[in-house]
């Protein structure tokens, strides 16, 4: 029997021009492979066995033909701010819930509702900071808040098994042979 957890392992899908476009299950990738629609660029070290076949589990695949699509902007929302910040307080690094959204430059100082001015803060830090800037409150941010892209979203899938994804998501330089 094929191990189902392997078939659910995530696979990074690149467009024909190497642009990352999606993350799918290995099962989906294998179907595309048998339909001759993709090229396998990287494999996991795992082998999948069925009664008739044994094959490497794909990790990064590239479509054989170019798919044109429009990149959607990631909507600025409370949920997406929390997701961007991995639900971690950007002032003290705690993971304790519930989390709040803090205006880095307070609204009354002209702080806007933007990706760059909103951050995840635990209740304790939010209360401590009050309506002061990080400088005034001496509470520097651990990370610079940025507007996420679909690439930063895919980067979040990179865990210990996904080292081979890193060059394709601009996290490591691509080796040129
Ligand atoms: Zn905190």
């Amino acid at each position: 029997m094929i191990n189902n957890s392997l078939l659910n392992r995530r696979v990074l899908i690149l467009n024909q021009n190497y642009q990352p476009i999606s993350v799918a299950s290995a099962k989906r990738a294998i179907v595309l492979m048998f339909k001759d629609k993709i090229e396998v660029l990287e494999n996991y070290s795992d082998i999948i066995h069925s009664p008739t076949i044994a094959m490497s589990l794909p990790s990064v695949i590239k479509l054989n033909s170019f798919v044109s699509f429009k990149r959607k902007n990631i909507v600025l929302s409370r949920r997406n701010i929390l997701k961007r910040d991995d639900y971690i307080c950007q002032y003290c690094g705690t993971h304790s819930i519930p989390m709040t959204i803090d205006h880095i430059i307070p609204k009354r100082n002209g702080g806007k509702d933007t990706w760059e001015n909103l951050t995840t803060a635990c209740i304790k830090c939010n209360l401590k900071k009050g309506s002061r800037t990080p400088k005034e409150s001496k509470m520097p941010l651990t990370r610079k808040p940025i507007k996420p892209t679909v690439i930063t979203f895919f980067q979040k899938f990179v865990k210990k098994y996904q080292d081979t994804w890193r060059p394709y998501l601009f996290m490591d330089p691509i080796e040129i042979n």
Side-chain angles (χ1 to χ4, degrees):
M1 278 305 282
I2 295 181
N3 182 331
N4 265 319
S5 70
L6 286 181
L7 287 180
N8 289 330
R9 186 75 68 75
R10 287 178 168 130
V11 175
L12 179 65
I13 304 181
L14 308 178
N15 211 338
Q16 188 250 351
N17 64 352
Y18 291 89
Q19 183 183 32
I21 51 169
S22 181
V23 171
S25 66
K27 192 175 171 180
R28 172 91 184 120
I30 292 164
V31 169
L32 290 171
M33 195 166 95
F34 282 108
K35 285 185 175 169
D36 228 6
K37 296 217 187 252
I38 56 129
E39 182 188 337
V40 176
L41 300 179
E42 308 284 347
N43 285 306
Y44 287 109
S45 56
D46 311 79
I47 306 288
I48 28 182
H49 297 273
S50 82
T52 48
I53 55 157
M55 59 179 284
S56 298
L57 187 69
S59 164
V60 181
I61 63 171
K62 181 170 80 74
L63 299 177
N64 287 335
S65 47
F66 186 79
V67 176
S68 113
F69 69 103
K70 231 180 150 187
R71 278 236 188 283
K72 275 193 241 153
N73 261 330
I74 296 174
V75 180
L76 177 67
S77 67
R78 180 190 154 78
R79 191 163 161 259
N80 283 339
I81 298 271
L82 294 170
K83 259 165 92 176
R84 178 197 65 186
D85 298 337
D86 301 310
Y87 299 86
I88 292 171
C89 173
Q90 299 298 297
Y91 294 107
C92 73
T94 187
H95 223 291
S96 70
I97 46 165
M99 284 292 170
T100 64
I101 303 294
D102 177 57
H103 282 86
I104 300 166
I105 305 293
K107 269 189 156 171
R108 61 162 199 191
N109 294 16
K112 300 250 159 53
D113 289 334
T114 60
W115 286 106
E116 294 80 9
N117 194 45
L118 292 169
T119 196
T120 303
C122 69
I123 290 177
K124 217 170 135 189
C125 287
N126 205 334
L127 286 173
K128 193 174 148 200
K129 183 171 171 279
S131 49
R132 295 176 296 175
T133 66
K135 211 174 165 181
E136 286 165 352
S137 58
K138 297 190 175 62
M139 291 171 68
L141 286 161
T142 52
R143 262 198 306 209
K144 192 173 180 238
I146 55 159
K147 184 179 176 193
T149 64
V150 72
I151 301 286
T152 48
F153 176 70
F154 292 149
Q155 287 173 348
K156 290 199 187 294
F157 288 104
V158 177
K159 301 279 150 55
K160 64 175 179 174
Y161 293 120
Q162 282 83 22
D163 273 349
T164 55
W165 293 23
R166 299 177 65 89
Y168 302 98
L169 295 174
F170 316 105
M171 299 164 86
D172 278 343
I174 294 171
E175 274 179 44
I176 298 163
N177 296 312

